[in-house]
């Protein structure tokens, strides 16, 4: 999957910056072919019904699910990718932004490249994202290439649904176990102080994976809520940047932090006091992947406990 890195041009040459391709390319159409182009007729109500019925069917289907992933950044996407390989696991992704992807649409300071330290490039191989290879890291030429590739493949899977422009306002907690999320339209959540009460909706789930990023308007919302109800120790908060320490620690501390609640990505740094890492993404990919394994382990434990409970009732 890796491609050889290009040799830098030492002297300026106009031809070195031109796109290369087949000079004999012949487009399949001519400009004149677009003259008189018309679409098949449709009624506006048909569009309305198609969009509404499909979305509402998804809401009915995912009122109960196996895993809810909160946050569709690089860690959340990687977790969903790994979980969705098992078609028996139903996955709902909740993203407050209209455009999912979090910080992985662009690299640092709005530069476009995506740096991934080895051996996390193996995850890129699994997804099918090309890169330029260096000794200790690889570079995806544009971070959006990762985002668009994984999203297009992930959302084609039948056991995954993305609800974007949707915020998780709270958690469902029963007897100390996280049992679901409380949701609302993101625009409503952001404007609760400007209107009368707007009650939320809910999704019940066996496991919640929270990958809401570091502190911000909606950042680290999962661990903040756990802290407020006493299910985790006081947050240690994210420390200053140290890439080499940060990436290892983010993966190390990705885990089930309370029954039914797995935390991954930069949200881990707010809980455990790991340093920030800046524009290097390997830990996001592997933290998300590890979170999927932690979620599977939680599902297995819950299934085993339910089976034992059923045996006792039967006896």
């Amino acid at each position: 999957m890796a491609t050889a890195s290009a040799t830098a041009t030492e002297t300026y040459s106009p031809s070195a910056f031109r796109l290369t391709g087949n000079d004999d390319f012949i487009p399949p159409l001519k400009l004149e072919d677009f003259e008189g182009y018309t679409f098949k007729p449709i009624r506006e109500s048909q569009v309305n019904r198609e969009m509404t019925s499909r979305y509402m069917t998804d809401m009915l289907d995912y009122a109960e699910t196996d895993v809810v992933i909160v946050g569709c950044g690089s860690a959340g996407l990687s977790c969903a990718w790994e979980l969705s390989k098992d078609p028996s696991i139903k996955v709902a992704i909740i993203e407050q932004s209209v455009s999912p992807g979090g910080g992985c649409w662009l690299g640092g300071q709005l530069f476009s490249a995506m740096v991934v330290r080895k051996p996390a490039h193996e995850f890129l191989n699994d997804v099918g994202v090309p890169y330029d290879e260096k000794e200790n890291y690889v570079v995806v030429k544009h971070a959006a290439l990762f985002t668009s590739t994984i999203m297009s493949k992930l959302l084609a899977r039948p056991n995954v649904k993305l609800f974007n422009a949707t915020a998780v306002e709270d958690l469902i907690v029963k007897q100390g176990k996280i049992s679901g999320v409380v949701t609302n339209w993101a625009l409503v959540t952001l404007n609760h102080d400007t209107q009368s009460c707007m009650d939320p909706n809910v999704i019940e789930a066996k496991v919640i994976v929270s990958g809401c990023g570091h502190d911000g308007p909606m950042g680290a919302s999962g661990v903040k809520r756990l802290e407020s109800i006493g299910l985790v120790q006081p947050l240690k908060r994210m420390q200053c940047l140290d890439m080499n320490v940060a990436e290892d620690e983010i993966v190390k501390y990705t885990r089930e932090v309370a029954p039914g609640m797995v935390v991954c990505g930069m949200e881990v740094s707010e809980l455990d006091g790991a340093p920030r890492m800046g524009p290097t993404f390997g830990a996001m990919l592997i933290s998300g992947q590890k979170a999927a394994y932690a979620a599977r382990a939680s599902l297995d434990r819950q299934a085993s406990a339910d089976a034992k409970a059923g045996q006792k009732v039967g006896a």
Side-chain angles (χ1 to χ4, degrees), residues 63-126:
E64 292 182 74
T65 189
D66 294 314
V67 180
V68 168
I69 298 173
V70 186
C72 195
S74 48
L77 283 168
S78 299
C79 179
W81 173 264
E82 189 64 41
L83 278 174
S84 66
K85 293 176 180 178
D86 183 347
S88 71
I89 298 177
K90 188 162 66 170
V91 181
I93 311 171
I94 311 293
E95 168 56 44
Q96 61 89 16
S97 176
V98 172
S99 55
C104 62
W105 280 114
L106 286 169
Q109 201 169 315
L110 303 184
F111 300 154
S112 57
M114 182 181 197
V115 177
V116 175
R117 293 165 62 199
K118 294 180 178 180
H121 68 298
E122 293 172 0
F123 187 86
L124 297 177
N125 292 340
D126 187 41

Side-chain angles (χ1 to χ4, degrees), residues 25-31 33-34:
F25 171 72
I26 300 176
L29 300 173
K30 297 179 180 178
L31 181 60
D33 292 332
F34 293 93

Side-chain angles (χ1 to χ4, degrees), residues 171 176-178 207-210 222-227 230-233 235 250 252-264 267-272 291 294-295 298 301:
L171 303 170
K177 181 192 180 299
I178 316 305
V207 179
I208 310 301
V209 177
S210 191
V223 294
K224 288 177 184 175
R225 191 64 176 120
L226 291 180
E227 178 190 42
L231 285 183
V232 297
Q233 295 297 314
L235 305 185
I250 292 299
K252 175 182 178 181
Y253 294 124
T254 295
R255 65 197 187 280
E256 187 174 22
V257 299
M261 181 83 155
V262 175
V263 176
C264 67
E267 190 163 359
V268 172
S269 68
E270 296 292 339
L271 176 62
D272 294 303
S298 183
R301 285 195 303 272

Side-chain angles (χ1 to χ4, degrees), residues 166-180:
T166 304
V168 170
E169 293 190 338
D170 204 349
L171 303 170
I172 302 173
V173 181
K174 299 179 179 180
Q175 299 178 332
K177 181 192 180 299
I178 316 305
S179 301

